[in-house]
């Protein structure tokens, strides 16, 4: 089980970073700018109509909408769900080929060229964060010009999921020490797009970062805490002052 | 009763080798028909590999469906061989004799069918070696031994290897008999296979010892195989999978379906190969008694599973069980499963008339296996459908024609291989039968003769 | 076949056997009385310990952990004994014949066990807000009444079997020593047995039927024991295999106890003729099987918890496996699994008197320790504050609990009481069944087999 | 035909046994390539990228963007953190614009049609420009109509100047125009440009019909404020939002309170609140006096008791709202628009709503309505439907013979009832400058395809500015991907060919001219000594803005009307029992983004439906009509027109409402849009707002008939209505004052 460690030296990568995301549900409006930003950044296949009908649409981050109450006293509640980058990730030990593992920066990483497609990780992820390439993903030739060269285009038969935009993390931290990287200097695509700033990203090993401070917010909670997956992604509860 | 039929050794040879030495028309027809079904399934697999798993009914979050169901189903069937051969051999149950070979052979072929399933289920089956073997020496990455999916191939290949050894060891004396009755190339092939068997006491002693030793060694493998398969499920966090009882529950369930399959097989074999002199009512009766015990133990574990699943009163666990038991179409399947694999057959088997009727036993044993397929299906699919509290992602699963084709293909494959096997080797071990004739006796108690077993004193 | 004996084996007659057993039955010597007195003393000590516990009251449940462990140990070894005879009878194993009565006589301890259940039930918290197989059954008495009923039924069936299967022998006692008090008692108990066909038929089918009943009900008792006294008190304990593990452990203990008792009877009672190598050898096989199953079931539950890594599971592993109850687990692991495995895989060990006996004794000690781990641990988990539901995660991990003086007295006294009852009943009902052994003799014939003679034993259907 | 090994494998795959031999036992050849084991996501080494700042006009919204470009290809759209409106964030539609540039169905070169109805033929640009010059030279300018989508900034100047010099009529087209809002703002605040709302600093927002967090005007900008309104770090208390709407929109979902009122009575509600505030003297006394003309009983016909039943709300609820609005929650702000203005009494409604801001002193103050300086505003806005009806009549009568059209897809955006295609068929010539073959362009005789926004020059003066003078620069972030030419450049060239040259040689020149003006002010966000440096810096920043250039002062309010103007709803309530509430598609808008896969595939936030049109019904209504989810029904309005759409049972839809998204129902417009869903605009009664002539798109009633057809509605959510399991909530809600219900 991974444990939280403090950086020993500024250059020691293994303890310098621990990436985390905090999502404030009270800010989120369900606009889904994050969803499309992620599709664009991460070469997520285009979801044709058939993908939805088959129930195989790819969204590394998706907006779940829950109903509460009945008309007229009804509420719709939104929650962006992405890989929670669990510290105690149930998806990891079940993978026979180490295609998904935990890296030393607190991320749950997916290696596409190792994956043989058993879908065990997907069955065991309680958050439905994992998406499987049932078909070969296709882009019309022209649209391929938009593909992000930093991100592998997956093939049929492999599992994929939110990578916390690891390519951005790499770019931003390559040959840099943590002190060179101010809090908020770079963000994953979804965080960057979010119009209400509902999402915050940063380094938990930096006690001054916004995410570190939000860990103590009175509205904090982890999704399905009772499962003991120890997600790194933290949510801040939505506030309901209904009728007040 | 037993003493009704005493056969000479010559009769035994003649009647049991008939299948090997002649080729009836029905055999050719049956093999061709089954071959077509198998070819169809192979085509379906090719199509699926070519197109992607999109051609199945799988979808998020029901990532596992018919293939894994079928995998467990066949691993279950494979438990018959050892149950019949090893356990009954160790416990010296006389009535095992006519069924050992067929049961063991079925084990081997069932294991082959089951091994194919995770392969076709995988997204990139051509990368199987990355899964089963260490594949990147340069970086020293080995398969993750924490994953039950690594234990599975190890356990199953071990089981397959030892089962094949088991079959082969028991085959040697019979191979020698065929060798002695054939000419030309067949003679040399059988000669080579029979490893110079001449039936001298030393050879018999070694053969007997090997049988006992293999029986004892194979038992832990037997238990481990379905336990490991069950841990595929119970080490996960999926509600109703993550339960401690799965290992024995799966094993005993496997024996239930496996022994039922042996019943089916024996009855069909008896009819096809006219083995009335070897497979008697008593044999089927004994199997049925064994099945009753197994079924009761299995039901006890099922009951424990259910009670302890619900007693924590966890929302998700209850949701899964509610779906499984009370929401159509799952409730219908559940009803059928429960009726077929327990409620109908077990009480029927309490009647001696049923236990000794080939017709009744054929249908009840078939029912059991149909029910047990449903059981595995119901373990897997509804649980994944209601995997977590995210009602937003609740989904359903409907197997596609491709999946059905492949499932039927595996059934045809096992039958096909058994038929082919029977063409080259006797399905009932000749030497076991002869030994049985030797060891049997009768004791007069009052006015009746009671069959008795020679006690090796 | 490896036997070198070429002489024709002799099959004794029924008469021989009956008079031999009767002679031993009638002989009540000094040594018997001194053992009985010692056991009675220890039992009284146990009662003292119990009174000490009573004076502390039931508010602190942790006081009752060792008491419950003793109770469950007795229920799991002594009460499981009739299963051996019922099972073997159903399986038509001929070697069972000399030892069935011994196991049936153990059912007498049920009387003590049932009374011992009552305080243990009082020590349990009510089902409200707590996990329980009784779910939301309205009355707080549900699990108490339910337990008393199930346990009571098991005990009654055990006693009934004991009596039913003893009737022909009681009749023999009646006829042999009509004047003695034991003979008079036998007259009452043998209810006019004359041994006609109808009576035999009733006896045989009654034995099968109630034996089967016992086989079915006993797992229920173990389920209740595990559910109400263990899992229900351990937050997060979702362990469906526990009752099955307990059942295996009970059967293992019962076989161990049978072996030990057989050994003692041989050594001190002169019963070598009945408890021979056949019995030890035959019993060592299920003992090995149960030992393997013990580990298998334990492992099944451990691996599931280990992989689950949910908070409730991690805490329980820490409590029951890695931390507080580490040593008891290790002891029972050695005695209930490793020891039997290492010893009994060898046929020479199995085919001996001493081998199975030593392993059996170890299994008994292991089972006792295991029961202490199983029941002392949950009893030391404190109740949640009034009005609050039981949590699904252990709020804190209680330390392992060592027995106090009273606990030690209770454990020793409880076991002594059970053995005492067994010793007493043996002098009312012969410890070897005359009729069952005699019946066996009729099924045997000696025949020439190949170059030698062999026994042919019939298996009727 | 040169069967490659790979194809051979594919064939082998479908022919049964061969599949296993080649695909199963052996590995497909693309798998043989040994993938570098070092290529973990960890170790990825990537190329060099550049970021270019530009601006995108997303409907009324204006988004400053940074586009990541690698090897001459635009890879990713990101918000420009400096740009005052979206400050680093961006809308789905901006992102999806990438797909417009690389769209497989984009028009790849100029095209001409030899004969009407015949096929197109690709031609070169010189030829195309020559043909255009000829057409315009030959035509009588009075018979030429130049139709564009809404255009702002320099392109608007160029377009207007072209039309003026040449003598043609220019008309903007937007299926949902904002004239009612503009008129109301003019009426009540005397402002020519739309104001900004300082949502971030408001404490209590009352919004009427304006889905400002979803699709209304500039959602990204408003959402920036909304985030702060909820949980801004410097806030004392979380803001409170009340949303009044006839549909459960994203804004309604975000609101603390959502109130359903009878469609068209929003103004009545506002005036009733005003009545309470004025009579109870809760608000600004001076404003009250001005609004009522000093008469105490001026608003008496709006007293809560009198109008409550009309509005469909209890009198208590109305006064309660008024109290809250004028009460102690701090700065209150009223926003109106959307469906509230889409009635025949639209201007009345919006005027009444915006008047509320006077009563609480929220006009041109922080946390209230903030006026924008008119300065550089230059735009062609969507014209009211009244003007378009006239234009169609002119086509039919032959007064218009030539139509020049750029992104004004009138065939899809105007109702079928107006018989647009018939009118277009009467024309002599249609010339299109659009980049895609939409329904109108498909009828063109000559196509001179324009650039996409990432390929062309321009400026943007936001429709809703941030409260101060702002000019954004649009620059090509990549070279043209297809053989296209910027619309502005075509106009400039053609103008000079026709003999009335414009002051600029190209759009770039025009933008530089605009920049020169800004440079000369020597103030604002970029000041540089030389123009070239100013040019470079301001392009880098994405524009120029001057926080000092604001509007000051509060105008005197006008007197409010004494009597209500009632909304005329088309259709008898008995025959047509349901109010039809159309709404803009979340990402595809009114259809102008329907060709972009990302816009199509992003689930509607409330229903999660994608790629199609649906009708939302309340579960009770659905039950009473005996329809279920996925049943296809026909919706028919009093006009006799109908559409067939599948049902989505939406528990938040009011029982007498049927709401349908706009934007689908394209017959052309690329493979991604064509043949999908239906166009709800076709069944709208073509009623107009009485003042402006804008389409009163929310004033139609419909009846619903079940068909026997069922479809699988493509949507993201699963097979069950997602409600949280009581024991294990996915979304934990914090209810101040109540016990914490999280399970931590
Ligand atoms: N026979 C032979 N082979 C060689 C070499 C040789 O000397 N002889 N030299 C080798 C060497 S040193 C090199 S560097 C490689 C070069 O090999 P390539 O990378 O193939 O280089 P080019 O063929 O010059 O250009 C590649 C494509 O990029 C397109 N292109 C042009 N501008 C842009 C742009 O802005 N963005 C994008 N995305 N595409 C653009 C061009 O139209 C062209 O189709 O060839 C190697 N191979
Ligand atoms: S959210 Fe799912 S995929 Fe992500 S780390 Fe956790 S278990 Fe794995
Ligand atoms: S699908 Fe891929 S990543 Fe997931 S468990 Fe299987 S091999 Fe590993
Ligand atoms: S962090 Fe990156 S990969 Fe993950 S959801 Fe956000 S944009 Fe997608
Ligand atoms: S972009 Fe932000 S506000 Fe919009 S849905 Fe995503 S998290 Fe919520």
């Amino acid at each position: 089980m991974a444990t939280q460690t403090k950086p020993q030296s500024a250059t020691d990568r293994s303890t310098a970073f621990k990436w985390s995301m905090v999502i404030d549900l009270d800010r989120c409006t369900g606009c889904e700018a994050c969803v499309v930003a992620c599709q664009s950044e991460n070469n997520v296949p285009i979801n044709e109509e058939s993908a939805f009908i088959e129930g195989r649409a790819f969204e590394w981050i998706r907006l779940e909408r829950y109903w509460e109450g009945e008309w007229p006293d009804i509420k719709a509640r939104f929650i962006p769900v992405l890989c929670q980058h669990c510290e105690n990730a149930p998806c990891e030990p079940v993978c026979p080929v180490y295609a998904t593992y935990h890296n030393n920066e607190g991320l749950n990483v997916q290696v596409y060229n190792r994956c043989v497609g058993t879908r065990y990780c997907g069955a065991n992820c309680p958050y439905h964060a994992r998406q499987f390439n049932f078909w070969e993903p296709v882009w019309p030739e022209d649209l391929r010009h938009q593909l992000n060269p930093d991100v592998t285009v997956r093939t049929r038969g492999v599992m994929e999921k939110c990578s916390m935009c690891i390519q951005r993390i790499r770019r931003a931290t390559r040959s840099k020490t943590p002190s060179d990287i101010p809090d908020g200097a770079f963000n994953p695509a979804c965080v960057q797009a979010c119009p209400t700033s509902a999402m915050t990203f940063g380094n938990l090993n930096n006690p001054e970062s916004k995410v570190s401070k939000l860990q103590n917010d009175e509205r904090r909670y982890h999704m399905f805490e009772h499962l003991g997956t120890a997600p790194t992604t933290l949510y801040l509860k939505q506030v309901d002052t209904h009728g007040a | 009763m037993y003493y009704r039929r005493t056969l000479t050794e010559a009769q035994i040879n003649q009647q049991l080798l008939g299948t090997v030495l002649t080729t009836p028309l029905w055999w050719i027809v049956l093999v061709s028909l089954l071959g077509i079904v198998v070819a169809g399934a192979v085509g379906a697999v090719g199509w699926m590999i070519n197109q992607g798993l999109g051609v199945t009914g799988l979808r998020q979050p029901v990532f596992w469906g018919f293939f894994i169901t079928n995998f467990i189903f066949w691993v279950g069937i494979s438990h018959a061989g050892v149950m019949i051969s090893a356990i009954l051999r160790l416990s010296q149950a006389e009535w095992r004799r006519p069924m050992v070979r067929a049961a063991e052979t079925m084990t081997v072929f069932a294991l082959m069918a089951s091994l194919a399933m995770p392969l076709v289920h995988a997204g990139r089956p051509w990368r199987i070696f990355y899964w089963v073997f260490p594949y990147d020496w340069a970086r020293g990455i080995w398969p993750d031994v924490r994953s039950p999916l690594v234990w599975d191939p190890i356990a199953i290949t071990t089981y397959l290897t030892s089962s094949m050894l088991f079959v082969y060891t028991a085959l040697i004396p019979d191979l020698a008999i065929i060798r002695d009755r054939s000419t030309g190339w067949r003679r040399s092939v059988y000669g080579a296979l029979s490893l110079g068997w001449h039936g001298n006491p030393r050879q018999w002693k070694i053969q007997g010892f090997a049988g006992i030793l293999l029986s004892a060694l194979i038992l832990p493998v037997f238990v481990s195989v379905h336990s490991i398969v069950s841990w595929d499920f119970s080490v996960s966090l999926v509600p109703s999978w993550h339960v401690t009882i799965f290992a024995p529950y799966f094993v005993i369930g496997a024996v239930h379906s496996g022994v039922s399959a042996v019943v089916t097989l024996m009855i069909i074999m008896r009819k096809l190969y006219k083995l009335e002199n070897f497979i008697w009512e008593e044999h089927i009766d004994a199997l049925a008694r064994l099945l009753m015990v197994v079924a009761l133990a299995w039901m006890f574990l099922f009951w424990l599973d259910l009670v302890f699943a619900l007693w924590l009163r966890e929302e998700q666990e209850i949701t899964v069980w509610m779906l499984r038991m009370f929401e159509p179409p799952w409730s219908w399947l559940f009803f059928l499963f429960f009726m077929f694999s327990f409620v109908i057959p077990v009480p029927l088997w309490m009647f001696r008339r049923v236990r000794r009727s080939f017709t009744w036993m054929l249908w009840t044993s078939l029912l059991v296996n149909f029910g047990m397929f449903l059981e595995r299906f119901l373990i897997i699919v509804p649980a994944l459908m209601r995997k977590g509290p995210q009602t937003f992602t609740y989904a359903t699963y409907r197997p596609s024609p491709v999946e059905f084709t492949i499932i039927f293909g595996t059934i045809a494959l096992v039958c096909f291989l058994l038929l082919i096997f029977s063409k080259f080797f006797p399905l009932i071990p000749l030497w076991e039968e002869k030994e049985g004739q030797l060891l049997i006796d009768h004791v007069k108690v009052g006015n009746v003769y009671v069959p008795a077993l020679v006690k090796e004193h | 076949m490896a036997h070198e004996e070429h002489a024709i084996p002799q099959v004794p007659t029924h008469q021989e056997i009956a008079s031999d057993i009767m002679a031993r039955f009638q002989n009540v010597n000094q040594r018997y009385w001194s053992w009985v007195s010692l056991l009675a003393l220890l039992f009284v000590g146990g009662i003292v310990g119990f009174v000490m516990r009573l004076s502390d009251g039931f508010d602190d449940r942790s006081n009752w952990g060792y008491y419950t462990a003793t109770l469950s140990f007795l229920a799991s070894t002594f009460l499981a004994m009739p299963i051996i005879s019922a099972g073997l009878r159903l399986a038509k194993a001929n070697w069972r014949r000399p030892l069935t009565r011994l196991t049936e006589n153990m059912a007498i301890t049920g009387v003590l066990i049932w009374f011992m259940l009552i305080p243990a039930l009082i020590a349990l918290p009510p089902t409200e807000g707590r996990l329980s197989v009784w779910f939301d059954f309205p009355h707080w008495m549900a699990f108490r009444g339910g337990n008393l009923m199930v346990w009571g039924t098991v005990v009654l069936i055990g006693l009934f079997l004991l009596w039913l299967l003893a009737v022909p022998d009681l009749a023999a006692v009646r006829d042999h020593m009509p004047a003695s008090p034991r003979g008079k008692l036998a007259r009452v108990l043998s209810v006019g047995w004359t041994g006609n066909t109808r009576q035999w038929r009733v006896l045989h089918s009654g034995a099968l039927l109630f034996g089967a009943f016992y086989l079915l009900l006993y797992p229920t008792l173990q389920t209740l024991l595990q559910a109400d006294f263990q899992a229900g008190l351990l937050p997060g304990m979702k362990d469906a295999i526990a009752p099955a593990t307990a059942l295996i452990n009970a059967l293992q203990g019962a076989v161990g106890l049978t072996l030990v008792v057989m050994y003692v009877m041989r050594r001190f009672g002169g019963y070598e003729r009945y408890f021979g190598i056949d019995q030890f050898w035959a019993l060592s096989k299920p003992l090995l099987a149960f030992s393997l199953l013990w580990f298998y079931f334990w492992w099944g539950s451990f691996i599931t918890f280990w992989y689950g890594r949910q908070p409730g599971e991690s805490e329980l592993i820490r409590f029951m496996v890695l931390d507080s109850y580490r040593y008891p687990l290790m002891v029972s692991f050695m005695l209930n699994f490793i020891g039997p495995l290492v010893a009994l895989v060898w046929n020479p060990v199995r085919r001996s008197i001493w081998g199975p006996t030593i392993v059996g004794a170890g299994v008994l000690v292991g089972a006792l320790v295991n029961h202490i781990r199983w029941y002392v641990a949950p009893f030391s988990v404190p109740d949640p504050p009034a009005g609050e539901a039981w949590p699904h995660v252990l709020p804190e991990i209680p330390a392992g609990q060592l027995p106090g003086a009273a606990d030690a007295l209770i454990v020793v006294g409880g076991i002594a009481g059970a053995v005492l009852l067994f010793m007493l009943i043996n002098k009312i009902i012969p410890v070897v069944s005359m009729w069952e052994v005699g019946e066996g003799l009729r099924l045997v014939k000696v025949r020439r087999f190949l170059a030698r003679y062999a026994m042919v034993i019939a298996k009727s259907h | 035909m040169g069967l490659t090994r790979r194809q051979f494998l594919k064939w082998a795959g479908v022919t049964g046994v061969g599949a296993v031999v080649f695909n199963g036992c052996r590995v497909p050849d693309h798998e043989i390539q040994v993938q570098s084991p070092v290529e973990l996501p960890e170790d990825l080494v990537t190329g060099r990228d550049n970021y270019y700042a530009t601006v995108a006009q997303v409907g009324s919204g204006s988004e400053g963007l940074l586009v990541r470009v690698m090897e001459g290809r635009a890879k990713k759209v990101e918000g420009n953190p400096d740009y005052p409106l979206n400050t680093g964030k961006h809308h789905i539609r901006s992102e999806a614009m990438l797909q417009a540039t690389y769209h497989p169905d984009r028009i790849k070169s100029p095209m001409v049609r030899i004969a009407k109805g015949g096929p197109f033929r690709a031609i070169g640009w010189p030829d195309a420009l020559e043909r255009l010059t000829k057409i315009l030279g030959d035509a009588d300018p009075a018979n030429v109509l130049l139709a564009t989508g809404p255009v702002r900034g320099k392109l608007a100047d160029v377009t207007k100047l072209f039309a003026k010099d040449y003598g043609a009529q220019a008309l903007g087209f937007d299926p949902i125009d904002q004239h009612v809002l503009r008129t109301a703002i003019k009426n009540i605040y005397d402002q020519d440009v739309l104001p900004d709302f300082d949502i971030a600093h408001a404490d209590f927002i009352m919004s009427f019909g304006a889905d400002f967090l979803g699709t209304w005007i500039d959602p990204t900008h408003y959402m920036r404020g909304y985030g702060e309104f909820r949980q801004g770090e410097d806030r004392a208390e979380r803001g409170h939002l009340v949303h009044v709407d006839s549909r459960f929109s994203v804004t309604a979902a975000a609101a603390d309170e959502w109130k359903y009122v009878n469609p068209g009575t929003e103004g009545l509600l506002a005036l009733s609140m005003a009545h309470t505030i004025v009579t109870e003297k809760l608000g600004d006394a001076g404003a009250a006096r001005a609004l009522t003309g000093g008469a105490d009983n001026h608003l008496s016909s709006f007293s809560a008791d009198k109008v409550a039943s009309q509005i469909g709300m209890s009198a208590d609820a109305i006064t309660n709202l008024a109290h809250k609005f004028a009460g102690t929650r701090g700065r209150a702000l009223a926003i109106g628009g959307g469906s509230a203005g889409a009635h025949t009494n639209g201007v009345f409604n919006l005027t009444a709503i915006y008047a509320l801001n006077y009563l609480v002193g929220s006009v041109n103050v922080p946390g209230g309505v903030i006026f924008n300086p008119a300065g550089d505003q230059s735009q062609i806005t969507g014209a009211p439907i009244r003007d378009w009806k006239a234009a169609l009549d002119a086509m039919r009568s032959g007064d218009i013979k030539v139509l020049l059209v750029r992104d004004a897809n009138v065939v899809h955006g105007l109702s079928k009832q107006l018989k647009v295609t018939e009118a277009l068929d009467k024309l002599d010539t249609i010339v299109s400058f659009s980049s895609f073959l939409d329904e109108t362009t498909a009828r063109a005789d000559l196509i001179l395809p324009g650039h996409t926004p990432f390929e062309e020059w321009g400026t943007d003066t936001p429709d809703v500015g941030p409260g101060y003078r702002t000019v954004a620069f649009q620059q090509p972030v990549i070279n043209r991907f297809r053989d296209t030419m910027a619309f502005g450049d075509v106009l400039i060239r053609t103008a000079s060919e026709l003999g009335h040259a414009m002051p600029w040689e190209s759009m770039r020149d025009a933008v530089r001219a605009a920049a020169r003006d800004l440079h000369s002010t020597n103030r604002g966000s970029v000041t540089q000594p030389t123009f070239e440096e100013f040019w470079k810096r301001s392009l880098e920043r994405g524009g120029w803005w001057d926080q000092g250039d604001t509007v000051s002062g509060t105008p005197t309010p006008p007197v409010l009307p004494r009597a209500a103007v009632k909304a005329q709803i088309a259709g008898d309530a008995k025959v047509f029992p349901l109010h039809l509430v159309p709404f803009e598609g979340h990402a595809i808008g009114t259809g102008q983004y329907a060709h972009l896969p990302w816009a199509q595939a992003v689930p509607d936030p409330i229903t999660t439906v994608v790629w199609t049109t649906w009708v939302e019904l309340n579960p009770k209504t659905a039950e009473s009509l005996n329809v279920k989810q996925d049943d296809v029904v026909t919706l028919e309005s009093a006009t006799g027109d109908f559409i067939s759409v599948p049902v989505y049972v939406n528990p938040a839809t009011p029982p007498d409402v049927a709401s349908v998204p706009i934007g689908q129902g394209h017959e052309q417009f690329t493979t991604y849009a064509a043949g999908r869903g239906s166009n709800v605009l076709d069944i709208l009664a073509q009623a107009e707002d009485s003042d402006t002539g804008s389409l009163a798109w929310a004033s139609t009633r419909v009846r619903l008939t079940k068909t026997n057809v069922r479809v699988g509605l493509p949507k993201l959510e699963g097979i069950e209505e997602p409600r949280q399991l009581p024991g294990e909530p996915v979304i934990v809600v914090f209810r101040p004052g109540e016990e914490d219900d999280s399970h931590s």
Side-chain angles (χ1 to χ4, degrees), chain A residues 23 27-35 63 80 190 193-199, chain D residues 223:
Chain A
I23 304 176
R27 281 176 179 252
C28 175
T29 62
C31 75
E32 298 181 274
C34 47
V35 176
L63 257 292
C190 53
C194 176
T196 60
S197 298
M199 304 165 123
Chain D
M223 273 198 279

Side-chain angles (χ1 to χ4, degrees), chain B residues 225-242:
Chain B
V225 169
H226 227 53
S227 301
I228 283 173
V229 169
S230 84
W231 288 328
D232 287 352
F233 299 93
S234 51
V235 304
S236 77
L237 283 185
V238 178
S240 89
W241 286 8
H242 186 55

Side-chain angles (χ1 to χ4, degrees), chain C residues 391-442:
Chain C
H392 281 212
V393 182
L394 270 179
E396 66 185 81
I397 297 179
Q401 216 178 328
L402 287 172
D407 295 326
L409 285 174
I410 288 174
V411 174
V412 174
I415 296 170
V419 178
L420 176 67
L421 284 176
F422 176 64
M423 291 203 64
L424 294 177
I425 192 84
N426 284 349
K427 287 301 161 197
I428 297 172
I429 296 168
V431 74
V432 176
S433 170
M434 292 180 280
W435 69 265
E436 209 163 3
V437 174
E439 187 185 67
L441 297 176
R442 297 204 296 159

Side-chain angles (χ1 to χ4, degrees), chain B residues 355-395:
Chain B
R355 290 202 303 268
R356 297 200 165 209
S357 152
F358 290 107
T359 320
W360 276 102
M361 286 309 291
L362 176 67
W363 290 113
T364 48
S365 65
L366 279 173
L367 273 194
V368 168
N369 266 313
F370 188 69
M372 291 307 282
F373 187 90
L374 289 179
E375 185 230 25
R376 280 65 180 259
F377 185 68
L378 286 166
I379 286 177
I380 295 172
V381 173
L384 286 176
M385 285 174 62
R386 297 284 185 272
K387 195 173 72 177
Q390 284 164 322
T391 52
F392 188 84
T393 49
Y394 282 2

